[in-house]
Amino acid sequence: MSGHSKWATTKRHKGAIDAKRGKIFSNLAKEITLAARAGGGDPNGNVRLRSVLMRARAANMPSDNIERAIKKGTGELPGLVYEEMLYEGYAPGGVGLIVEVTTDNKNRAIGEVRNVFTKNGGNLASSGALTSFFQRKGQIIISADAVGEDELMEIALEAGAEDVKNNGDFYEVITAVGDYDAVAKALDDKQIKSESSDLVYLPNVEVPVTDADTAKKIQKLIDALEDLDDVKAVHSNDDIADGLLDA
């Protein structure tokens, strides 16, 4: 799912995300396997695994799937060897995209990503061309109905969050990468359910989009990338004006 900075953008993907629940479980399984392979199968001693398991529980991933993924990572069960990669490119209108991929076949992954960009009016960029326009952060989205603002700020900031933004119908908790696990755990311990929680790429500079046709082309490209089995997440620096995608 997309790592956009605005929950409005996330909400316009909600129907698609619900329809892709099987893919969400597949991506989580890959992450769990990678985390267990790198740091062992005990979440108490593996911060990365613990973070992924919190997201897996929030997504209601079946426990059997989780256990199999851990055992594949520790070598107790046979499994594919996954690699993580980052691709960068441009969508119509000069909007920048960062595409996170987890795959067992690098050649297949890059071929499919390049094909989607080409077919949808975008183009791949060289490695590093766009990373300076984004910053890696922890982002936790919480419905305003789930908790009061004062309580959330107290818990999140005490746990190490950088900022808590009130966006009306939702709160956005922003953390440094190194503090994400502690903040996510603090909220989880208080049984504060998140709508979305992950490490994402947030834009330093947003690209305004005021043309409905361009906005729809951008969204079509993002949706096509997210449909690829190897794509974990797509991050965009678009600032699409309200209502353009409904026009």
Side-chain angles (χ1 to χ4, degrees):
M1 72 188 141
S2 297
H4 297 68
S5 60
K6 294 184 178 179
W7 183 233
T9 305
T10 306
K11 285 196 293 186
R12 69 184 187 237
H13 292 307
K14 189 178 187 305
I17 288 171
D18 289 343
K20 298 173 187 173
R21 188 159 297 278
K23 186 190 172 186
I24 292 172
F25 291 163
S26 174
N27 281 335
L28 285 167
K30 291 177 184 178
E31 288 191 70
I32 291 168
T33 297
L34 281 167
R37 188 178 73 189
D42 181 4
N44 293 318
N46 185 338
V47 171
R48 180 181 179 186
L49 178 61
R50 186 165 67 243
S51 293
V52 181
L53 292 182
M54 281 192 288
R55 287 193 281 119
R57 288 199 302 272
N60 296 314
M61 186 175 180
S63 57
D64 287 349
N65 295 31
I66 293 173
E67 288 301 318
R68 279 198 302 273
I70 290 174
K71 288 180 178 179
K72 287 178 181 179
T74 57
E76 296 171 73
L77 289 176
L80 298 171
V81 176
Y82 295 112
E83 296 181 82
E84 295 175 292
M85 286 168 292
L86 210 63
Y87 299 124
E88 301 162 57
Y90 293 97
V95 166
L97 300 180
I98 291 182
V99 184
E100 290 188 88
V101 166
T102 305
T103 183
D104 63 312
N105 187 321
K106 290 191 294 185
N107 291 332
R108 180 190 67 221
I110 184 60
E112 290 180 344
V113 168
R114 181 183 291 111
N115 186 49
V116 167
F117 269 98
T118 301
K119 283 187 174 181
N120 290 276
N123 61 280
L124 278 175
S126 58
S127 178
L130 286 165
T131 49
S132 63
F133 296 102
F134 291 81
Q135 53 184 336
R136 188 70 160 162
K137 293 288 183 182
Q139 181 195 53
I140 304 169
I141 302 294
I142 299 167
S143 170
D145 296 330
V147 63
E149 181 177 6
D150 290 343
E151 180 184 359
L152 176 62
M153 290 190 70
E154 181 179 354
I155 296 169
L157 295 177
E158 185 174 324
E162 291 182 350
D163 195 10
V164 177
K165 300 177 181 179
N166 185 338
N167 293 288
D169 59 344
F170 72 97
Y171 302 112
E172 184 181 8
V173 180
I174 304 297
T175 79
V177 171
D179 295 323
Y180 168 75
D181 180 67
V183 176
K185 185 177 186 303
L187 295 173
D188 188 58
D189 287 346
K190 295 294 184 180
Q191 298 184 336
I192 298 173
K193 180 177 173 57
S194 64
E195 300 289 337
S196 171
S197 179
D198 207 348
L199 294 175
V200 301
Y201 286 89
L202 297 180
N204 294 318
V205 178
E206 294 183 333
V207 177
V209 180
T210 57
D211 175 71
D213 184 56
T214 300
K216 290 175 181 177
K217 288 179 180 178
I218 293 167
Q219 192 59 53
K220 183 180 177 183
L221 170 56
I222 291 172
D223 288 343
L225 287 167
E226 289 178 338
D227 280 340
L228 296 176
D229 288 340
D230 289 331
V231 170
K232 174 195 169 188
V234 181
H235 309 278
S236 166
N237 68 347
D238 66 71
D239 183 14
I240 295 176
D242 291 343
L244 282 188
L245 291 172
D246 301 321

